[in-house]
Amino acid sequence: MFSRRIFETDFAEALEEELKRRDMTIRELSEKAGIPPATLYKIASGERDPRLSTVRRIVAMFEPKEGRFIAVVAAKFLLDEIEGSEVTIGSKPIRLKGYAANSIDDCIMAAVEARREGAAGIICAPILSSLIERIVDIPVAILKPEPMAVINAANIIAKRIERISSISSHP
């Protein structure tokens, strides 16, 4: 996270790392943040320390507060069902953004990507929530299946077991 990194190292170094990570040029940052390119070049070279207002504009560009979202890390079939959904925080709507995952590795990478993209929180499977909470610095909630979902899954298993039993009992 850029806003944290600037306190851990030299601002110019943190800026250079973030630009490289995003595959962005100083000129592109200038256009997006509305800061003159000459100012950014001087800051990036260490020739000049940035003003607080400049730091705020850069951080706001890298970590926008507007358009934030809640990430949902789940299987694609569930994400298809919630596509376009929103919840309200205060009086402001916040959208749900899906991150498809089919393995534990996918889930971890999706959570990190969601955080990097500005997620305000993450919803994930219960088995992953404690791990994800240790990785990201935003709220994490679990997907809790309804009891009927578990019973429906058990019925599917029962039918499969019944089908296997009937096949194996016929010579």
Side-chain angles (χ1 to χ4, degrees), residues 118-147:
I122 297 174
I123 300 169
C124 64
I127 197 163
L128 294 169
S129 63
S130 63
L131 176 62
I132 300 298
E133 284 177 327
R134 287 181 281 190
I135 295 171
V136 299
D137 61 345
I138 54 177
V140 175
I142 63 169
L143 283 170
K144 181 180 175 191
E146 294 293 321

Side-chain angles (χ1 to χ4, degrees), residues 151-165:
I151 292 168
N152 289 340
N155 284 325
I156 290 169
I157 294 295
K159 287 177 187 174
R160 289 180 183 170
I161 291 170
E162 194 173 88
R163 192 174 328 123
I164 292 169
S165 295

Side-chain angles (χ1 to χ4, degrees), residues 7 20 32 56 72 89 115 118:
F7 294 107
K20 190 177 291 183
K32 291 180 178 183
R56 284 186 177 146
V72 180
I89 297 178
R115 178 62 187 109

Side-chain angles (χ1 to χ4, degrees), residues 39-56:
T39 300
L40 289 175
Y41 281 112
K42 288 176 184 174
I43 292 168
S45 69
E47 182 182 324
R48 176 174 160 193
D49 287 330
R51 291 181 171 176
L52 181 57
S53 60
T54 302
V55 171
R56 284 186 177 146

Side-chain angles (χ1 to χ4, degrees), residues 1-135:
M1 179 181 236
F2 179 72
S3 59
R4 253 202 254 152
R5 184 77 179 121
I6 61 177
F7 294 107
E8 297 169 354
T9 186
D10 178 64
F11 186 87
E13 182 181 327
L15 179 61
E16 181 181 333
E17 288 172 2
E18 190 67 17
L19 289 171
K20 190 177 291 183
R21 189 179 72 74
R22 292 174 181 262
D23 194 26
M24 181 184 280
T25 65
I26 287 179
R27 191 160 296 283
E28 290 170 324
L29 175 60
S30 166
E31 290 170 13
K32 291 180 178 183
I35 301 167
T39 300
L40 289 175
Y41 281 112
K42 288 176 184 174
I43 292 168
S45 69
E47 182 182 324
R48 176 174 160 193
D49 287 330
R51 291 181 171 176
L52 181 57
S53 60
T54 302
V55 171
R56 284 186 177 146
R57 289 170 97 175
I58 293 170
V59 168
M61 204 294 300
F62 285 145
E63 300 170 14
K65 298 293 184 211
E66 299 256 89
R68 290 181 65 160
F69 59 93
I70 294 174
V72 180
V73 178
K76 182 150 178 25
F77 76 89
L78 176 61
L79 300 179
D80 289 344
E81 290 185 32
I82 63 160
E83 187 175 349
S85 297
E86 291 182 339
V87 295
T88 304
I89 297 178
S91 61
K92 189 173 183 182
I94 187 164
R95 68 189 167 92
L96 301 183
K97 180 178 178 183
Y99 289 81
N102 296 310
S103 69
I104 291 174
D105 289 348
D106 287 350
C107 291
I108 293 168
M109 290 187 305
V112 169
E113 180 182 350
R115 178 62 187 109
R116 212 176 316 137
E117 291 179 354
I122 297 174
I123 300 169
C124 64
I127 197 163
L128 294 169
S129 63
S130 63
L131 176 62
I132 300 298
E133 284 177 327
R134 287 181 281 190
I135 295 171

